[in-house]
Amino acid sequence: MPDFDRFDICEAHYLIECDYHVNGWLRERPSNVRRREATYVQLLRLGFRPGPLLTYETLTDNGREIYDLLVRRYALPSAA
């Protein structure tokens, strides 16, 4: 189980949307559908700004674990 770290959570959610978006937003995420907006818009409101070199490989171990849990939660196709 990953640790609660706001920065890791934001990075993982941002990358999930980048990797699996359709027309700019992740339809599998219930809050995106409910709000009718992308995860990135929600992250901007929190003040999150992703680094230009952010990738799955640059995530912390905790961030990768969060990302992998999100892939399973939303039943997204695995990259492996």
Side-chain angles (χ1 to χ4, degrees):
M1 194 70 182
D3 295 325
F4 180 85
D5 181 293
R6 285 182 173 91
F7 194 72
D8 288 343
I9 292 168
C10 289
E11 285 188 333
H13 275 275
Y14 173 78
L15 281 178
I16 283 286
E17 186 167 80
C18 288
D19 292 346
Y20 293 99
H21 75 90
V22 174
N23 294 325
W25 60 301
L26 183 65
R27 298 180 192 284
E28 290 82 0
R29 186 167 184 251
S31 68
N32 288 2
V33 175
R34 187 176 61 251
R35 292 182 175 122
R36 299 181 53 93
E37 66 186 14
T39 303
Y40 185 65
V41 174
Q42 297 168 49
L43 291 170
L44 282 175
R45 276 198 301 267
L46 294 172
F48 175 77
R49 301 290 187 271
L53 303 177
L54 181 61
T55 65
Y56 180 82
E57 290 76 24
T58 62
L59 289 172
T60 64
D61 290 339
N62 190 54
R64 283 192 292 275
E65 193 171 346
I66 294 166
Y67 181 99
D68 295 340
L69 285 172
L70 291 170
V71 168
R72 288 194 300 275
R73 178 188 299 165
Y74 301 140
L76 299 169
S78 177

